[in-house]
Amino acid sequence: MITKQEYEEIKKESLKYIDQAGIVLTKHEANHLEVTDFGLGRVREMGLQLVVYMNTERCCAKELVLLPRQTCPQHLHPPVGNSEGKEETFRCRQGTVYLYVPGPKVEQPQALPPEDRKQYYTAWHEIVLKPGDQYTLLPNTPHWFQSGDEGAVVSEFSTKSTDEHDIFTDPDITRIVEIQES
Amino acid sequence: MITKQEYEEIKKESLKYIDQAGIVLTKHEANHLEVTDFGLGRVREMGLQLVVYMNTERCCAKELVLLPRQTCPQHLHPPVGNSEGKEETFRCRQGTVYLYVPGPKVEQPQALPPEDRKQYYTAWHEIVLKPGDQYTLLPNTPHWFQSGDEGAVVSEFSTKSTDEHDIFTDPDITRIVEIQES
């Protein structure tokens, strides 16, 4: 649950990050920037802001905005129908992103999820993305990410995006955001 | 044919456009920015500069740079093997792009190809892209584009890119660039 006021505040903040990154949006895109709290009600800790440029049957492009130290919780993109699942490339445009994927566990992670949800995080191989750096994730790869203290803007290039099929490891997560109107 | 000196000059100019658009490249990407004259030897009139971010079996992302009034000649992306052909979305980041596709012919085109190659251009439906505007082209769609007087930077989001399969309507065009070393 997120209040309408908080939703609008975070939208406004996110648009500032987009603007600082030199990215031009149409008015319609700016108005429709999406804020998600993954149903956890702690959007500044665990949440994500998105602008979907296009999403066809074959490919998709988005800009993602992360507020300072905001975590996008661990999830994966499973096969859907005849598709092997979503492949995605994250390209950092601004700020720093700590991305965690399966592989040798980093000894001292530079990002940590909220302590009370940590049990649901299994990917601990750390990839650090600074502006210009990118990383490609194959389907079915558990991953999560958090921005550094300055927040971040990340371009995502992928195959068709079907958020409703994403599998989150935290059982309390839902991708449908409830906005409290009053 | 393009001289090594011209290639390097245009590369340097193109990197300035990328920088002005607020886009950060890695050193490797900047060093490998590609200049193509389509084999016509008149690169400032008919040419294109590209940075390929990623190109997997399933999707691809690039930045394109156009010098002022530079034309990317008419071509299409045909089916290749089991693929129906490349689908691509152009998103203007900086400057103005005049994109021509099949459809009702514009009366007074805001861009024209060089007079001596004009006979090879059949797509005359005009789409004007300013920063934030985008347009998606389905496979097998003849198209060409030219930037306005300020040059342009365009992001391309697409399915797998196989430039070697592109079909250009101008029979003198070749996608392999010959660089004169001396």
Side-chain angles (χ1 to χ4, degrees):
Chain A
M1 185 78 84
I2 182 171
T3 63
K4 182 83 182 149
Q5 190 189 338
E6 193 168 31
Y7 193 101
E8 291 305 324
E9 273 171 18
I10 289 179
K11 200 162 117 175
K12 209 169 152 187
E13 282 175 51
S14 300
L15 290 172
K16 272 194 204 159
Y17 285 94
I18 290 271
D19 189 53
Q20 281 163 10
I23 294 168
V24 181
L25 301 181
T26 61
K27 266 191 192 168
H28 183 268
E29 287 167 338
N31 287 339
H32 289 79
L33 183 139
E34 183 192 348
V35 179
T36 177
D37 70 347
F38 301 101
L40 296 170
R42 294 152 65 179
V43 63
R44 288 182 184 274
E45 284 178 276
M46 293 169 285
L48 188 65
Q49 292 69 241
L50 312 94
V51 178
V52 180
Y53 286 151
M54 41 78 65
N55 185 23
T56 72
E57 281 303 309
R58 301 177 71 197
C59 53
C60 177
K62 300 177 186 179
E63 302 293 353
L64 311 179
V65 179
L66 290 159
L67 303 179
R69 290 289 166 185
Q70 195 181 28
T71 297
C72 176
Q74 185 173 317
H75 64 286
L76 59 77
H77 308 289
V80 175
N82 290 325
S83 164
E84 57 195 299
K86 186 186 179 204
E87 171 196 299
E88 60 192 11
T89 296
F90 294 128
R91 183 179 177 90
C92 181
R93 300 293 191 171
Q94 186 180 274
T96 304
V97 177
Y98 304 103
L99 171 66
Y100 296 87
V101 296
K105 186 178 172 168
V106 65
E107 292 228 351
Q108 302 235 310
Q110 293 181 73
L112 287 174
E115 190 57 35
D116 62 320
R117 317 309 290 183
K118 210 177 151 186
Q119 71 263 37
Y120 303 118
Y121 290 69
T122 61
W124 288 102
H125 184 63
E126 186 177 81
I127 315 273
V128 180
L129 302 177
K130 303 262 184 190
D133 296 334
Q134 62 184 36
Y135 190 83
T136 299
L137 286 156
L138 296 180
N140 253 331
T141 308
H143 60 284
W144 63 279
F145 49 96
Q146 186 182 98
S147 64
D149 296 334
E150 318 293 321
V153 178
V154 178
S155 297
E156 183 189 295
F157 315 123
S158 74
T159 58
K160 186 184 181 185
S161 183
T162 57
D163 290 347
E164 66 279 17
H165 292 111
D166 294 353
I167 296 174
F168 285 85
T169 36
D170 183 333
D172 291 336
I173 284 180
T174 161
R175 190 61 182 75
I176 309 303
V177 175
E178 278 182 69
I179 303 172
Q180 200 175 27
E181 284 300 329
S182 59
Chain B
M1 184 81 85
I2 182 171
T3 64
K4 181 84 182 148
Q5 191 190 336
E6 195 168 30
Y7 193 100
E8 291 304 324
E9 273 171 19
I10 288 179
K11 199 162 119 176
K12 209 170 151 185
E13 282 175 48
S14 300
L15 289 172
K16 272 194 204 158
Y17 285 94
I18 291 271
D19 190 53
Q20 282 164 9
I23 294 168
V24 181
L25 301 182
T26 62
K27 267 190 190 167
H28 183 269
E29 287 168 338
N31 287 338
H32 288 78
L33 182 140
E34 185 192 347
V35 179
T36 178
D37 70 348
F38 302 101
L40 296 171
R42 295 154 65 180
V43 63
R44 288 183 184 275
E45 284 177 276
M46 293 167 285
L48 187 65
Q49 292 70 241
L50 310 93
V51 178
V52 180
Y53 286 152
M54 43 77 66
N55 185 24
T56 72
E57 281 303 309
R58 302 177 71 196
C59 53
C60 177
K62 301 178 184 176
E63 302 292 353
L64 311 178
V65 179
L66 291 159
L67 304 179
R69 289 289 166 186
Q70 195 180 29
T71 297
C72 176
Q74 185 175 314
H75 64 287
L76 59 78
H77 308 289
V80 175
N82 290 328
S83 164
E84 57 194 297
K86 187 188 180 202
E87 172 196 298
E88 60 192 10
T89 296
F90 294 128
R91 184 179 176 90
C92 182
R93 299 293 192 171
Q94 185 180 275
T96 304
V97 177
Y98 303 103
L99 171 65
Y100 297 87
V101 297
K105 187 178 172 169
V106 64
E107 292 229 350
Q108 302 235 309
Q110 293 183 72
L112 287 174
E115 190 57 34
D116 63 320
R117 317 308 291 182
K118 209 178 150 184
Q119 70 264 37
Y120 304 119
Y121 290 68
T122 60
W124 287 104
H125 184 65
E126 187 177 81
I127 315 275
V128 181
L129 301 176
K130 302 265 185 190
D133 296 334
Q134 62 183 36
Y135 190 84
T136 299
L137 285 155
L138 295 180
N140 253 330
T141 308
H143 60 284
W144 63 280
F145 49 96
Q146 186 182 99
S147 64
D149 296 336
E150 317 294 320
V153 178
V154 178
S155 297
E156 183 189 295
F157 315 124
S158 74
T159 58
K160 185 183 182 187
S161 182
T162 57
D163 291 347
E164 66 278 19
H165 292 112
D166 294 352
I167 297 173
F168 285 85
T169 36
D170 183 333
D172 292 336
I173 284 180
T174 161
R175 190 62 183 74
I176 309 302
V177 176
E178 280 183 68
I179 302 172
Q180 200 174 29
E181 284 299 331
S182 59

